[in-house]
Structure formats: structure tokens, C-alpha cells
């Protein structure tokens, strides 16, 4: 799975990573360290505990996160490296890498994607010693990320939305208006003080400190920047995709080389205990891989007499690179139907 897309200079993810790093280097010359080769298999402590994620938080569930064994997971966010890098004495850094999540299937969600984490620590002199520095950190965070959006996109319609993360307070998310909808591109906030103080070695000066942190989705930003309509395209090995991008060039507008028609297949079933939407998506991905574009719930009802609930899902098949035959799609759908019964125990209707 490790294609190192974010470390490929002429890949859209490599281009956008470099452009963001350049922005931070230009804003604070020499201050930031840029990491992009930390291993994606991390301890659950790093992915959750050190970030103060509660024991019962949904992200810890095997329905959301890929557990690989003995207290280890495929990191579900680059925040997994915050504490470790702070312990290494880093007070300003970004950290980029592939992250993994069991999630829904559509044009803006993919089970492997890339995030860039950013952290910057302030000392009391930076906020003039008044208060605990939260207001300063938050204001600086907002202006930094608004500046980044300008750097990447020029004029683009953005909005801030209140959010919640266990590891920041306050927490906010930035959305960009793209193709008629608001697209969430990053989450951020003022780092919880326990994380900062528990990990970053105290300076000799004993000065008070405060930090911000952000985690941005590289695919989402690259989709907006280059006009890439579907997140699966980042994984394409097709020269018609790859040859359109050049290292250092932020001006490319992706030219679709084909528009193959989608093919919809609907499937209705009575739910089982093992059923979750993420499980269903995992099964469909397992059978159809990137040939599945979207899985969406189109109908549901509960029969009160039987006490059972039925869902109808539409599976949208489409290749980015070629046209699919009816036989091929029928065969895929047949296998999907068998696997949802076999793996999830649902009852087809
Ligand atoms: C986080 O992952 C937090 N760790 C971000 C953070 C870091 C907050 C530091 C505060 C401080 P979230 O789950 O919202 O947050 O994901 C962050 C971004 O990753 C999203 O805004 C989106 O751009 C991207 N993203 C999330 N899920 C997917 C997905 N399945 N496919 C593609 N991009 C995704
Ligand atoms: Mg979010």
C-alpha cells in the first residue's frame, strides 16, 4: 500500500505538501522542522492515550480504526506523532504521512489518505504575558491557516466552524466552498496544556508556554487546488493522470481524460448485529476495490411487528480509467451480495 505519494515530487500530494512547507518556511524562516517519513504503525498510546482521547471515544472502535495487533494500529491521524515530536524537543514542526480509517465510500472519503500535522509553541513573551496565551494562540492559528488558504488558492470562500477534539480546546474546523458544497479541509485548535507540558521538555527560562495544532487533509486541499473530482484518482497509475502534474506547479487544472458512465446497483437487506455502514463499505471495497465510487443509503424502514430494520443501499460502480462491461459489474455485484451475507450475516430481500 505504501506508494509514498506525498514524497513523490510530481504527484499532486507531493506538490501540495511542498507548497505548504514552503509557506511555513517563508513565514518563519528556519523555525519549522518538516517530517514526512514516520512509520504509520503506531502504538494505541500514541494514537489515542497521549492525545487524551477517552476510553469510550468512537475513534477507538475497530469499526473505525484498523488494529494490526498487540496494542498497535495503523495511525488514524498524524496527531499520533504530536507527543513523540514534542518529547524530541520540537516546538515548531509539520509531520506528513498516510493515515488509515474505516469510513464511508464516496468522492471525498478514502480508507487511506494523507494528513499534515502542524504544531507551534509560544512562550509568554509572545503574548505579552497577559492571561494564559490561549487567545494569542487561537488568533495566530486562524491567521496562519487563513494565510495558507490564500497562499494555495488565492481568493477562495472559506468559513470556520466550531468543532470538538479531545486534544484541543477551543477546537475549530476550516471549510472551503467547492463545487457547490462546503468541504471540510482541516481540524485544529489550541493544544490541551497537559499534552504540551507532559511532553515538551521545560526550557531553562521556566517561561509559560501555549501551543496550537492543526491536522489537514492533503487530498481535500489538492482536490480544490487542481480541480480533481474524485479522491480515487490520487491512486491512479494512469499516465493520463500522472503526466498532468509537475513539481512546483500549483496552476495545473486537471483535465478529465474520460467520463465513463456510472452504473448503479441497489441491494436491500434486513440488518444483522454485525452490520455497520463502515463494515458494509469494507466488504464492498474488498470485492470491487477502486471500481466502487460510492455506497449510499437510499431507503430504510422498520417493521414494528417483526422488530426488524431493512436498509436499501445503492452501490455506484465506475472506473476512472476505462469503461466497465455489464457482465463485469453483474459479477461484482453478485459477489458483493454473497459477501455481505457471508461476512455480515444480513438477510437479502
Ligand atoms: C483529525 O484527524 C484531527 N487529528 C485533526 C486535528 C489535529 C485537530 C490537531 C486538532 C489538532 P478529522 O478527523 O476531522 O480530524 O480529520 C482531519 C481532516 O482529514 C479532515 O478535515 C479532512 O480534510 C481529512 N479527512 C478525514 N477523513 C477523511 C477521509 N476518509 N478521506 C479523505 N480525507 C479525510
Ligand atoms: Mg473533522
Amino acid at each position: 500500500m505504501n506508494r509514498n505519494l506525498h514524497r513523490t515530487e510530481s504527484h499532486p500530494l507531493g506538490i501540495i505538501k511542498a507548497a505548504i512547507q514552503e509557506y511555513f518556511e517563508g513565514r518563519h524562516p528556519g523555525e519549522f522542522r518538516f517530517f514526512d517519513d514516520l512509520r504509520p504503525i503506531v502504538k494505541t498510546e500514541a494514537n489515542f492515550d497521549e492525545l487524551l482521547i477517552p476510553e469510550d471515544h468512537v475513534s477507538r472502535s475497530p469499526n473505525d480504526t484498523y488494529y494490526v495487533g498487540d496494542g498497535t494500529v495503523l495511525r488514524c491521524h498524524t496527531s499520533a506523532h504530536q507527543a513523540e515530536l514534542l518529547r524530541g524537543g520540537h516546538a515548531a514542526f509539520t509531520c506528513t504521512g498516510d493515515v488509515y480509517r474505516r469510513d464511508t465510500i464516496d468522492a471525498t472519503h478514502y480508507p487511506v489518505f494523507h494528513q499534515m500535522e502542524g504544531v507551534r509553541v509560544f512562550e509568554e513573551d509572545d503574548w505579552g504575558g497577559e492571561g494564559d496565551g490561549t487567545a494569542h494562540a487561537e488568533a495566530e492559528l486562524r491567521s496562519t491557516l487563513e494565510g495558507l488558504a490564500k497562499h494555495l488558492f488565492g481568493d477562495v470562500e472559506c468559513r470556520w466552524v466550531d468543532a470538538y477534539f479531545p486534544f484541543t480546546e477551543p477546537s475549530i474546523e476550516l471549510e472551503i466552498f467547492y463545487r457547490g458544497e462546503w468541504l471540510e479541509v482541516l481540524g485544529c485548535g489550541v493544544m490541551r496544556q497537559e499534552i504540551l507540558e507532559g511532553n515538551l521538555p521545560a526550557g531553562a527560562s521556566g517561561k509559560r508556554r501555549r501551543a496550537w495544532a492543526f491536522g489537514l487533509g492533503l487530498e481535500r486541499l489538492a482536490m480544490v487546488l487542481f480541480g480533481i473530482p474524485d479522491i480515487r484518482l490520487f491512486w491512479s497509475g494512469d499516465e493520463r493522470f500522472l503526466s498532468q502534474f509537475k513539481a512546483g506547479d500549483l496552476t495545473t487544472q486537471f483535465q478529465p481524460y474520460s467520463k465513463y458512465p456510472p452504473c448503479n446497483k441497489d441491494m436491500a437487506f434486513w440488518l444483522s448485529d454485525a452490520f455497520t455502514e463502515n463494515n458494509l463499505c469494507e466488504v464492498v471495497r474488498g470485492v470491487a476495490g477502486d471500481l466502487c465510487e460510492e455506497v449510499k443509503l437510499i431507503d430504510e424502514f422498520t417493521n414494528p411487528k417483526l422488530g426488524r430494520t431493512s436498509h436499501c443501499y445503492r452501490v455506484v460502480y465506475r472506473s476512472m480509467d476505462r469503461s466497465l462491461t455489464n457482465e463485469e459489474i453483474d459479477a461484482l455485484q453478485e459477489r458483493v451480495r454473497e459477501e455481505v451475507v457471508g461476512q455480515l450475516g444480513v438477510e437479502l430481500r
Side-chain angles (χ1 to χ4, degrees), residues 63-280:
N63 186 53
D64 288 48
T65 292
Y66 294 102
Y67 282 76
V68 289
D70 243 21
T72 55
V73 294
L74 285 168
R75 64 185 166 208
C76 71
H77 52 182
T78 45
S79 302
H81 299 291
Q82 272 187 23
E84 157 196 1
L85 290 169
L86 287 169
R87 284 196 293 275
H90 301 291
F93 59 85
T94 72
C95 161
T96 305
D98 36 324
V99 302
Y100 300 78
R101 287 186 197 181
R102 300 176 93 244
D103 214 331
T104 46
I105 298 182
D106 65 27
T108 62
H109 290 80
Y110 202 77
V112 192
F113 61 103
H114 294 76
Q115 285 189 340
M116 181 190 283
E117 196 79 3
V119 167
R120 185 166 189 233
V121 180
F122 301 94
E123 289 196 335
E124 58 185 283
D125 302 341
D126 296 321
W127 69 83
E130 244 178 77
D132 69 357
T134 305
H136 175 77
E138 183 182 348
E140 216 276 337
L141 173 63
R142 285 178 190 256
S143 77
T144 297
L145 294 171
E146 285 165 12
L148 174 63
K150 244 209 167 67
H151 175 77
L152 293 176
F153 306 116
D155 270 330
V156 71
E157 223 185 317
C158 290
R159 71 176 186 196
W160 288 107
V161 181
D162 287 335
Y164 165 77
F165 300 104
F167 32 95
T168 49
E169 175 61 36
S171 305
I172 42 180
E173 286 179 336
L174 185 66
E175 298 184 343
I176 294 181
F177 199 66
Y178 178 61
R179 302 197 167 195
E181 284 178 42
W182 288 101
L183 180 65
E184 182 199 315
V185 296
L186 67 88
C188 64
V190 176
M191 186 185 289
R192 293 257 310 260
Q193 201 64 4
E194 303 95 299
I195 300 175
L196 178 60
E197 294 304 343
N199 291 291
L200 185 66
S205 65
K207 293 207 165 108
R208 287 185 298 154
R209 305 175 298 188
R210 203 75 182 142
W212 55 236
F214 66 74
L216 46 84
L218 288 189
E219 278 84 352
R220 301 271 180 93
L221 292 172
M223 289 174 84
V224 177
L225 182 62
F226 299 116
I228 296 173
D230 190 298
I231 198 164
R232 290 173 297 163
L233 281 163
F234 291 99
W235 297 90
S236 172
D238 195 315
E239 275 308 308
R240 290 172 297 178
F241 177 76
L242 295 172
S243 67
Q244 293 194 30
F245 303 95
K246 273 168 210 64
D249 188 351
L250 301 183
T251 65
T252 304
Q253 278 309 295
F254 174 65
Q255 302 298 323
Y257 38 85
S258 61
K259 263 238 154 70
Y260 297 106
C263 176
N264 299 336
K265 293 283 174 189
D266 296 349
M267 170 173 68
F269 46 78
W270 297 107
L271 300 192
S272 64
D273 290 343
F275 176 85
T276 67
E277 192 164 295
N278 282 357
N279 280 342
L280 172 66

